[in-house]
Amino acid sequence: MDARMHIAVIGLGEAGTLYAQGLTRLGWTVTGYDPADIPTPESVIRANSPDDLMAEADAVLCLVGGRAAVPAASSVAHLLDETTLFIDMNSAAPEVKQNVAEVVGADNYADVGVVGSVPEHGAATPVVISGAASTRAAEIFTALGAPVEDVHGLPGDAAKRKLLRSSFMKGLGALIVEALDAGDAMGARDWALGQLSAEHAGGIESVERLYSGTVKHADRRGHEAEESAAMLEGLGVPATMSHAAARSHQLLAAELIKPKAELREAYADVPVANIGDARQRMGMVDGGIRSLWTGAKAVGWAKTVCVPAGDNKFLHATLDTIEPGDFIVVNGQGHTDRALLGELMAERARKRGAVGIVADGALRDIRDLEEMGFPAWARAVNPSGPYKNGPGQVDVPVAVGRVVAEPGDLVVADDDGVIIVPAAEAAATLELAISVREDEANRRKAIIGGDGA
């Protein structure tokens, strides 16, 4: 390896900055590129485009995240010569690593899995490396002071080991966040922290670091946990905990992206049909459940209830627990001979802050519901009152219109029908649904203007 190298870094986020700084401390020339408006690390030459980035570079370090890995590689592939080393440091599934290797050329490709905390260890964080150019890449990381495990092998082999470790680390991080937040809620966070740190070799600082890192990087780590789950299942290993960790991270990310009240408000102008298209029709309640009055529209968080056919004892009891923004979702077993709710219960629910009700069963007093402005969707209307014997369940996953709704899922309903969006996916779905709405609006204008279909 040359005493002085020129390294190009794609992605100048937290990890990219720390690696760039480590490389400049070696006295090497470092050129960096990131399309986002973020600061340029000290002593790094900022490139305005991938073309400028690659001039005379000996190696490329790519740190952009799994979803952007292939596009980032494609942006510089045509600039790589037969000796330029491409070091893929993105957290991505093995299949993505293989795709990147095909784009840049397998002979000069190295798959690098970072198996430690970069904020803690910087450029000296331990790594595992695979791919045809693993030995060359290992020299760079050794120069940075990082413990290196060169497994040689194929593109994706290092990623598999990283994901195997993630199946433990992401689950641990999710559990720590849950436990410390619960301790905080009961006024005993310090006690909980002490209990966790006593069982954790890294002590209090390590537990707190895992807590803060899990919250801060919830979106990226959630995707990595889901990739870990997919890999485990591909090996024939049940991935129950990995899936749970992924969902926990996704929920944390959703809360950070947009507060619940703001998110609910943003969905108010998005048609159910557009949301369904954005989600490839997944989560659409069957068409037998319809709005009971024209023009009804509601967005809220699922308050779930499961009752026997024609019995509303537990729905009645649920009204006292409703919070503002709740959307009552009732599995009434599809029974249509007795109504589960009428004007009096609806008035109580409305005053508690409920935004509406969707029932896989029957409701009544629809004229009164319309007059009071209480949106309602049901399989039928029936004037016959309910039984009040029970049993029932509240705040559990329920089936409504052949769709499962979990407590806290987003429910959106209008004249076209009802859709259930998992809470962890609500923020991401909003962006897609708005894009669908805007695309349809532009196409409609084109049709009106005679420019196309």
Side-chain angles (χ1 to χ4, degrees):
M1 184 174 62
D2 294 339
R4 192 174 167 81
M5 297 185 71
H6 178 180
I7 308 294
V9 178
I10 303 177
L12 296 175
E14 182 178 29
T17 293
L18 290 171
Y19 276 100
Q21 291 172 339
L23 293 165
T24 59
R25 283 195 291 270
L26 294 175
W28 296 357
T29 301
V30 179
T31 308
Y33 172 72
D34 197 308
D37 184 18
I38 57 178
T40 303
E42 186 178 354
S43 301
V44 172
I45 303 168
R46 185 69 171 257
N48 295 319
S49 70
D51 286 2
D52 296 336
L53 174 77
M54 290 304 301
E56 300 180 357
D58 300 300
V60 181
L61 267 66
C62 191
L63 306 99
V64 296
R67 286 169 287 183
V70 173
S74 299
S75 71
V76 298
H78 64 290
L79 303 170
L80 304 176
D81 63 29
E82 64 276 4
T83 63
T84 307
L85 176 61
F86 190 93
I87 301 175
D88 184 355
M89 300 186 67
N90 306 305
S91 294
E95 296 77 17
V96 174
K97 298 281 190 171
Q98 294 160 10
N99 291 338
V100 173
E102 291 179 4
V103 168
V104 301
D107 289 345
N108 292 312
Y109 173 87
D111 169 16
V112 176
V114 181
V115 290
S117 171
V118 176
E120 180 182 1
H121 302 291
T125 305
V127 294
V128 56
I129 308 178
S130 70
S134 63
T135 301
R136 292 170 56 197
E139 294 178 355
I140 291 177
F141 288 95
T142 298
L144 288 169
V148 176
E149 182 182 3
D150 183 0
V151 299
H152 304 290
L154 301 172
D157 284 353
K160 290 177 181 178
R161 286 163 171 78
K162 176 180 174 64
L163 290 177
L164 180 59
R165 181 178 184 274
S166 291
S167 67
F168 165 73
M169 291 300 298
K170 301 305 179 286
L172 181 60
L175 285 172
I176 284 176
V177 168
E178 187 172 302
L180 291 186
D181 282 353
D184 192 39
M186 63 185 291
R189 189 183 192 276
D190 289 344
W191 182 87
L193 180 59
Q195 291 294 307
L196 294 177
S197 62
E199 303 297 332
H200 194 282
I204 288 178
E205 290 185 1
S206 179
V207 173
E208 287 281 30
R209 186 166 52 249
L210 195 50
Y211 177 96
S212 60
T214 296
V215 173
K216 181 179 180 180
H217 303 293
D219 184 52
R220 175 177 61 79
R221 292 185 180 183
H223 286 286
E224 187 173 322
E226 199 58 64
E227 289 169 350
S228 297
M231 186 189 75
L232 292 178
E233 290 176 340
L235 296 169
V237 177
T240 304
M241 291 299 294
S242 293
H243 281 302
R247 177 171 172 76
S248 177
H249 282 76
Q250 290 162 358
L251 286 168
L252 284 170
E255 292 177 2
L256 292 172
I257 293 171
K258 193 181 290 290
K260 291 182 70 173
E262 184 181 339
L263 186 61
R264 187 168 71 86
E265 182 179 346
Y267 267 99
D269 296 325
V270 184
V272 167
N274 291 161
I275 302 170
D277 289 348
R279 295 189 60 77
Q280 299 181 316
R281 271 62 68 184
M282 298 298 292
M284 299 291 291
V285 171
D286 78 59
I289 296 178
R290 302 297 304 276
S291 172
L292 298 190
W293 50 272
T294 302
K297 170 77 176 185
V299 182
W301 307 100
K303 180 68 172 180
T304 59
V305 188
C306 184
V307 297
D311 190 299
N312 79 344
K313 178 178 180 179
F314 270 71
L315 173 58
H316 206 282
T318 299
L319 300 183
D320 292 331
T321 68
I322 286 174
E323 297 182 357
D326 280 352
F327 201 134
I328 305 170
V329 180
V330 187
N331 179 353
Q333 314 303 323
H335 185 75
T336 59
D337 289 345
R338 290 183 176 272
L340 298 173
L341 174 142
E343 62 166 317
L344 296 179
M345 290 179 64
E347 191 66 75
R348 285 183 58 197
R350 186 180 69 82
K351 286 193 173 183
R352 291 280 306 185
V355 300
I357 183 172
V358 52
D360 199 338
L363 303 178
R364 68 179 184 180
D365 302 331
I366 61 174
R367 186 179 298 276
D368 295 311
L369 298 184
E370 181 177 6
E371 288 179 355
M372 72 174 68
F374 189 73
W377 289 258
R379 193 168 292 284
V381 175
N382 196 307
S384 181
Y387 299 110
K388 296 183 181 296
N389 302 318
Q393 293 176 294
V394 179
D395 293 331
V396 296
V398 299
V400 54
R402 297 200 294 268
V403 175
V404 174
E406 295 197 24
D409 280 351
L410 182 74
V411 185
V412 187
D414 59 20
D415 284 334
D416 281 345
V418 182
I419 187 168
I420 310 293
V421 181
E425 301 171 22
T429 294
L430 175 63
E431 296 180 9
L432 295 173
I434 290 175
S435 296
V436 171
R437 183 188 63 186
E438 293 176 349
D439 178 64
E440 288 195 355
N442 292 333
R443 288 163 60 191
R444 187 166 184 262
K445 288 180 182 178
I447 292 171
I448 294 172
D451 295 331

